């Protein structure tokens, strides 16, 4: 069907319909644009999600990457990132293939429509003008006919009247003839215009308007076809990424299927195996016999001379390992209010000879009590392990990894040796390459100066010597761990500030006894070695690692800071030295005894005179 023949009289409706078609194209284009924005935002959110959960480049995530489940999760995140990239491709293709093209086509469509309807209006205007001219000719012919009839009637009347002169009759006759001639001319003109109008009208409704409407129809059909192609492209844009999306999903499935629970369990063993043997049996302690002990030997809390023995079921020396550090310290420092802190030094003299007061009780009773508490060596194994875990968590440790248990230390040392050997191999490869280059320069001087290679060869030789020396150092430690070399003598024991005094000397080490128990392979500062330590004896001297063993406990949070106003030597037990102007963390306020508990770092804390520092408490600490 043709719009020109079927809709010849629907010019206005066609104009409205074509405008609606253009509005529909713009509406669909807007829909695609919003879909593109959704795809882009979705891809952005997916990328952000993947980036959020991808592990950062640090040691903890590197450790986790050993497990198959973690590797599968990382693979899934990477595949999800690629999946987001496909949605970005959707957004880009929708923009380039549909939105941009439709926007351009809409402008062309508007221009074409405007041209067609301009031609239609022009043709309509021409036919209307012809109709108006025809009507004017018709009215003029009608008027001339009426004038001729009136002139004829007047002539006949004058001709019949005998009183009218012949001259008047002749004038009337001539007037009648003139009117008849004008009517005839009007008739001919009207007939001519009528014939012309009919020809124009026929051409207008059978040629001009059909052609214009046909072009409008073709324009509308192209618009509909273009929208259909855009809708097809809309689906094809999604279809094009399906294979890659399928590969992303297949990668996620493959990574999930690659998880090996048994392998992960084995990795846990490899990561945390210490190489120690389980602790031995705990010896029975007979409390049924009456014991005569001093005040310090019976209880940590009896400081006033009460020598009454405790009940066996509530023995403090058996439960002490499970007391938090702050509770234990509060027990040890309970008599502090009885000993006032030293007065601050005068402005003229800085404290060189400070009074030997201390917030702790006398050394002898406490040290005797600690002897009893530390008498059983196997009891300390679990706490050394916890201390080791704390040092690992804090990321601190010596170069020889002595803070690690034997098995873990062996792995770390072996890995370090492998890295050094790789560096040595790289340096040797560079040396060989430079040596060959120098030989070529010697044979062919025009290619280069052989002496120019010497500085680099010297530098490489120095680097190799350093790396080999470092490798020998680590191999020595590894051999020590694996028992291939004689064990070095035990380093001097570290003195603990908990029971040091100004005049005290470090206790002599216990005589060595052959013992294969793994938990005794530990240096006095909490590190592990292959040296066989001594078994506990009934009256072994207090081990100076007692204070260190409490480092596994929960570290008290700081409640503020303090600034040292005066220097303080801190030679008494339980105290810490001060440097004027030094800033420390406050972990316990003055309880009224004139002493404030402070911390310098994770391993060094103690009491200082309150009058020697200026305390700045946090707001939440003040409220609590």
């Amino acid at each position: 069907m043709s719009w020109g023949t079927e809709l010849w009289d629907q010019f206005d409706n066609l104009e409205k319909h074509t405008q609606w078609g253009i509005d529909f194209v713009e509406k669909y284009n807007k829909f695609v644009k919003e879909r593109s924005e959704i795809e882009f935002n979705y891809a952005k959110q997916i990328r952000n999600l993947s980036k959020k959960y991808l592990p950062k480049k640090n040691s903890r995530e590197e450790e986790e990457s050993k497990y198959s489940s973690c590797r599968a999760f990382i693979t899934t995140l990477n595949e999800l990132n690629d999946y987001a990239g496909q949605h970005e491709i959707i957004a880009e293709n929708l923009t380039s293939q549909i939105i941009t093209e439709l926007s351009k086509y809409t402008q062309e469509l508007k221009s074409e429509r405007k041209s067609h309807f301009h031609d239609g209006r022009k043709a309509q205007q021409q036919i209307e003008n012809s109709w108006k001219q025809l009507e004017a000719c018709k009215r003029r012919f009608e008027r001339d006919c009426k004038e001729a009839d009136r002139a004829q009637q007047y002539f006949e009347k004058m001709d019949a009247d005998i009183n009218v002169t012949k001259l008047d009759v002749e004038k009337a006759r001539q007037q009648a003839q003139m009117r008849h001639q004008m009517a005839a001319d009007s008739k001919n003109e009207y007939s001519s215009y009528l014939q012309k109008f009919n020809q124009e009208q026929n051409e207008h409704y059978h040629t001009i308007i059909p052609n214009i409407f046909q072009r409008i129809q073709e324009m509308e059909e192209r618009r509909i076809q273009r929208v259909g192609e855009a809708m097809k492209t809309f689906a094809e844009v999604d279809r094009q990424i399906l294979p890659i999306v399928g590969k992303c999903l297949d990668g996620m499935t493959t990574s999930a299927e690659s998880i090996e629970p048994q392998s992960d369990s084995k990795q846990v063993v490899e990561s945390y195996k210490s190489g120690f043997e389980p602790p031995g049996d705990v010896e029975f302690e007979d409390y049924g016999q009456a014991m005569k002990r001093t005040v310090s030997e019976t209880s940590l809390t009896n400081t006033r001379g009460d020598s009454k023995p405790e009940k066996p079921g509530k023995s403090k020396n058996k439960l002490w390992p499970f007391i938090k550090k702050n509770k234990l310290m509060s027990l040890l420092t309970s008599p502090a209010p009885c000993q006032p802190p030293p007065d601050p030094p005068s402005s003229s003299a800085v404290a060189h000879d400070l009074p030997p007061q201390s917030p702790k009780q006398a050394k002898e009773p406490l040290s005797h009590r600690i002897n009893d508490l530390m008498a059983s060596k196997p009891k300390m194994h679990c706490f050394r392990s916890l201390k080791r875990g704390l040092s690992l968590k804090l990321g601190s440790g010596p170069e020889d990894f002595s803070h690690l248990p034997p098995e873990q230390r062996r792995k770390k040392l072996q890995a370090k040796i492998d890295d050094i050997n790789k560096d040595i191999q790289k340096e040797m490869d560079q040396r060989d390459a430079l040596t060959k280059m120098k030989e070529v320069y010697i044979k062919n001087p025009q290619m280069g100066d052989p002496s120019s290679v010497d500085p680099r060869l010297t530098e490489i030789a120095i680097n190799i010597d350093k790396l080999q020396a470092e490798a020998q150092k680590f191999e020595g430690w590894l051999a020590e761990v694996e028992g291939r070399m004689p064990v070095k003598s035990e380093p001097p024991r570290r003195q603990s500030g908990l029971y040091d005094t100004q005049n005290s000397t470090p206790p002599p080490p216990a005589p060595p006894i052959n013992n294969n128990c793994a938990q005794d392979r530990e240096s006095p500062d909490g590190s592990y070695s292959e040296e066989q330590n001594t078994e506990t004896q009934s009256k072994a001297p207090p081990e100076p690692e007692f204070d260190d063993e409490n480092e596994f406990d929960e570290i008290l949070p700081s409640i503020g800071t303090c600034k040292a106003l005066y220097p303080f030597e801190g030679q008494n037990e339980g105290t810490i030295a001060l440097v004027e102007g030094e800033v420390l963390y406050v972990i316990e306020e003055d309880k009224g005894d004139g002493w404030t508990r402070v911390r310098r770092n994770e391993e060094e804390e103690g009491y200082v005179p309150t009058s020697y520092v200026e305390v700045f408490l946090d707001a939440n600490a003040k409220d609590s």
Side-chain angles (χ1 to χ4, degrees):
M1 292 184 180
S2 174
W3 286 10
T5 56
E6 302 293 336
L7 303 175
W8 62 270
D9 58 343
Q10 299 297 322
F11 184 87
D12 294 337
N13 288 332
L14 286 180
E15 187 175 15
K16 294 179 181 178
H17 177 76
T18 52
Q19 182 61 43
W20 171 86
I22 292 176
D23 294 340
F24 177 78
V25 174
E26 291 180 339
K27 178 181 179 181
Y28 181 76
N29 199 25
K30 184 179 179 182
F31 158 75
V32 178
K33 186 180 296 184
E34 292 183 2
R35 162 73 190 281
S36 176
E37 292 175 355
I38 290 174
E39 291 291 342
F40 181 77
N41 292 332
Y42 176 70
K44 182 178 180 181
Q45 292 177 0
I46 291 294
R47 283 193 183 277
N48 291 338
L49 179 66
S50 177
K51 183 179 179 181
K52 177 181 178 181
Y53 285 93
L54 274 174
K56 303 298 185 297
K57 297 297 181 182
N58 56 45
S59 58
R60 181 58 182 166
E61 270 68 21
E62 290 177 1
E63 289 292 326
E64 290 181 354
S65 63
K66 297 186 299 186
Y67 303 107
S68 61
S69 57
C70 296
R71 293 195 300 270
F73 181 55
I74 294 174
T75 303
T76 300
L77 293 176
N78 291 330
E79 295 291 347
L80 191 64
N81 192 56
D82 296 340
Y83 176 81
Q86 299 308 308
H87 283 274
E88 288 180 348
I89 293 176
I90 290 179
E92 292 173 359
N93 291 341
L94 289 177
T95 301
S96 61
Q97 300 180 20
I98 298 180
I99 299 173
T100 304
E101 295 296 329
L102 280 186
S103 298
K104 182 179 179 181
Y105 176 70
T106 302
Q107 298 301 323
E108 297 175 355
L109 188 64
K110 289 181 179 179
S111 178
E112 183 179 1
R113 174 184 175 276
K114 182 179 179 181
S115 175
H116 292 329
F117 281 97
H118 175 73
D119 295 341
R121 288 190 185 91
K122 184 177 179 180
Q124 193 73 21
Q125 187 67 32
Q126 289 178 354
I127 196 65
E128 288 178 359
N129 291 335
S130 296
W131 173 256
K132 289 179 182 179
Q133 289 179 0
L134 178 63
E135 287 293 323
C137 291
K138 180 180 178 181
R139 287 193 298 270
R140 186 165 54 252
F141 171 62
E142 182 181 5
R143 184 178 65 251
D144 289 346
C145 288
K146 289 180 181 180
E147 291 292 336
D149 287 343
R150 283 196 297 269
Q152 183 65 30
Q153 291 175 4
Y154 180 73
F155 167 70
E156 290 176 356
K157 181 179 178 181
M158 292 295 288
D159 188 38
D161 191 357
I162 59 174
N163 295 324
V164 179
T165 64
K166 188 176 180 178
L167 182 61
D168 292 335
V169 173
E170 185 63 24
K171 287 182 178 180
R173 185 182 63 79
Q174 291 178 357
Q175 186 70 25
Q177 287 179 353
M178 185 184 66
R179 292 295 179 184
H180 279 292
Q181 184 62 38
M182 290 177 64
D185 292 341
S186 297
K187 180 180 180 180
N188 292 334
E189 184 181 3
Y190 171 66
S191 176
S192 175
Y193 268 103
L194 178 61
Q195 184 179 1
K196 180 181 178 182
F197 173 77
N198 289 333
Q199 184 179 357
E200 290 180 355
Q201 181 177 253
N202 185 66
E203 184 180 2
H204 175 79
Y205 287 109
H206 292 86
T207 303
I208 298 176
I209 290 298
N211 289 337
I212 293 174
F213 282 11
Q214 184 66 29
R215 292 198 299 269
I216 294 175
Q217 181 180 0
E218 291 174 358
M219 177 193 72
E220 186 68 10
E221 290 176 355
R222 287 197 305 270
R223 177 192 67 81
I224 296 172
Q225 183 179 2
R226 194 64 174 269
V227 172
E229 292 175 355
M231 291 182 177
K232 182 179 179 181
T233 305
F234 184 84
E236 289 299 324
V237 166
D238 269 354
R239 193 187 307 277
Q240 290 173 359
I241 69 163
L242 289 180
I244 302 179
V245 170
K247 290 181 179 179
C248 295
L249 298 178
D250 292 341
M252 296 180 188
T253 303
T254 303
S255 64
E257 292 174 350
S258 66
I259 296 177
E260 300 176 354
Q262 294 80 7
S263 176
D264 287 358
S265 300
K266 184 179 179 180
Q267 284 294 336
V268 174
V269 175
E270 295 293 330
S271 299
Y272 301 111
K273 181 180 178 181
S274 66
F276 288 113
E277 299 177 2
D281 296 337
V282 179
E283 297 181 358
F284 175 75
E285 300 182 24
D286 190 2
Y287 289 92
Q289 299 179 0
M291 297 182 181
K292 294 182 180 180
R293 295 185 178 182
T294 62
V295 175
S296 61
E297 290 178 335
T298 55
S299 174
L300 284 173
T301 58
N302 293 340
T303 60
R304 298 297 182 184
D306 186 5
S307 60
K308 210 167 25 173
E310 294 182 352
K311 296 181 180 180
K314 297 182 179 180
S315 176
K316 292 292 183 181
N317 63 344
K318 293 191 70 175
L319 296 179
W320 75 269
F322 305 100
I323 302 177
K324 293 296 182 182
K325 184 174 182 179
N326 55 354
K327 295 182 179 180
L328 180 60
M329 292 300 295
S330 63
L331 290 175
L332 297 176
T333 59
S334 58
C338 300
Q339 301 176 0
D343 296 330
S346 61
S347 58
S348 61
V350 181
H352 294 291
D353 298 322
L354 296 175
Q357 282 86 354
S358 169
K360 303 291 185 290
Q361 64 183 16
K363 174 181 182 290
E364 283 305 319
L366 178 60
S367 61
H368 284 299
R369 182 55 185 159
I370 292 174
N371 289 346
D372 295 338
L373 295 177
M374 298 294 292
S376 179
K377 189 72 171 174
K379 292 181 181 180
M380 300 306 299
H381 169 61
C382 58
F383 304 106
R384 294 193 184 99
S385 300
L386 290 175
K387 176 188 175 183
R388 179 182 68 253
L390 178 59
S391 64
L392 287 174
K393 182 178 180 182
L394 297 176
S396 62
E399 184 183 9
D400 61 351
F401 305 108
S402 59
H403 62 291
L404 297 176
E407 183 66 22
Q408 301 301 320
R409 184 186 181 193
R410 182 189 64 78
K411 292 180 181 178
K412 289 289 185 180
L413 291 172
Q414 186 62 54
K416 186 68 175 179
I417 293 172
D418 294 341
D419 293 339
I420 296 175
N421 289 333
K422 290 180 181 178
D423 294 338
I424 293 175
Q425 187 61 41
K426 290 180 181 179
E427 295 291 339
M428 294 177 68
D429 292 341
Q430 292 184 16
R431 183 188 63 185
D432 296 340
L434 290 174
T435 303
K436 292 180 181 179
M437 183 184 298
K438 183 176 180 179
E439 293 176 356
V440 172
Y441 287 170
I442 294 173
K443 294 179 181 179
N444 303 289
Q446 67 275 10
M447 298 182 65
D449 184 10
S451 61
S452 62
V453 186
D454 293 338
R456 180 57 182 162
L457 287 174
T458 304
E459 181 182 354
I460 292 176
I462 295 174
N463 293 339
I464 292 177
D465 291 340
K466 291 181 179 179
L467 291 173
Q468 289 177 347
E470 188 174 0
Q472 290 178 0
K473 177 176 64 175
F474 280 96
E475 286 174 355
W477 287 331
L478 179 62
E480 180 180 339
V481 173
E482 294 178 347
R484 296 198 302 264
M485 291 177 60
V487 182
K488 298 178 182 179
S489 60
E490 186 180 16
R493 295 178 178 270
R494 183 174 58 184
Q495 297 298 320
S496 171
L498 183 63
Y499 39 86
D500 275 349
T501 60
Q502 266 182 317
N503 301 321
S504 63
T505 58
I513 300 176
N514 291 332
N515 187 4
N516 295 326
C517 186
Q519 66 265 22
D520 289 337
R521 281 174 283 174
E522 203 176 4
S523 63
D525 59 350
S527 62
Y528 294 89
S529 66
E530 295 297 323
E531 184 175 1
Q532 303 297 327
N533 289 338
T534 60
E535 238 349 282
T536 60
Q537 297 181 359
S538 58
K539 289 297 180 178
E543 299 212 12
E545 62 184 14
F546 173 78
D547 187 50
D548 289 341
E549 296 302 332
N550 283 281
E551 289 177 5
F552 72 90
D553 279 323
E554 170 184 329
I555 299 177
L556 294 177
S558 63
I559 60 176
T561 58
C562 68
K563 180 179 180 182
L565 301 177
Y566 313 101
F568 179 67
E569 294 183 2
Q571 296 180 356
N572 298 329
E573 58 176 328
T575 61
I576 185 172
L578 289 177
V579 178
E580 184 177 356
E582 183 182 14
V583 178
L584 303 174
Y585 292 101
V586 177
I587 58 177
E588 186 174 327
E589 288 187 82
D590 187 351
K591 301 299 184 180
D593 54 0
W595 294 91
T596 300
R597 188 176 177 186
V598 298
R599 178 191 298 129
R600 177 173 286 111
N601 50 45
E602 296 296 340
E603 297 181 355
E604 187 174 4
E605 64 181 46
Y607 285 86
V608 297
T610 305
S611 57
Y612 276 57
V613 294
E614 183 179 2
V615 179
F616 306 96
L617 296 178
D618 295 337
N620 54 358
K622 293 180 181 179
D623 296 340
S624 60

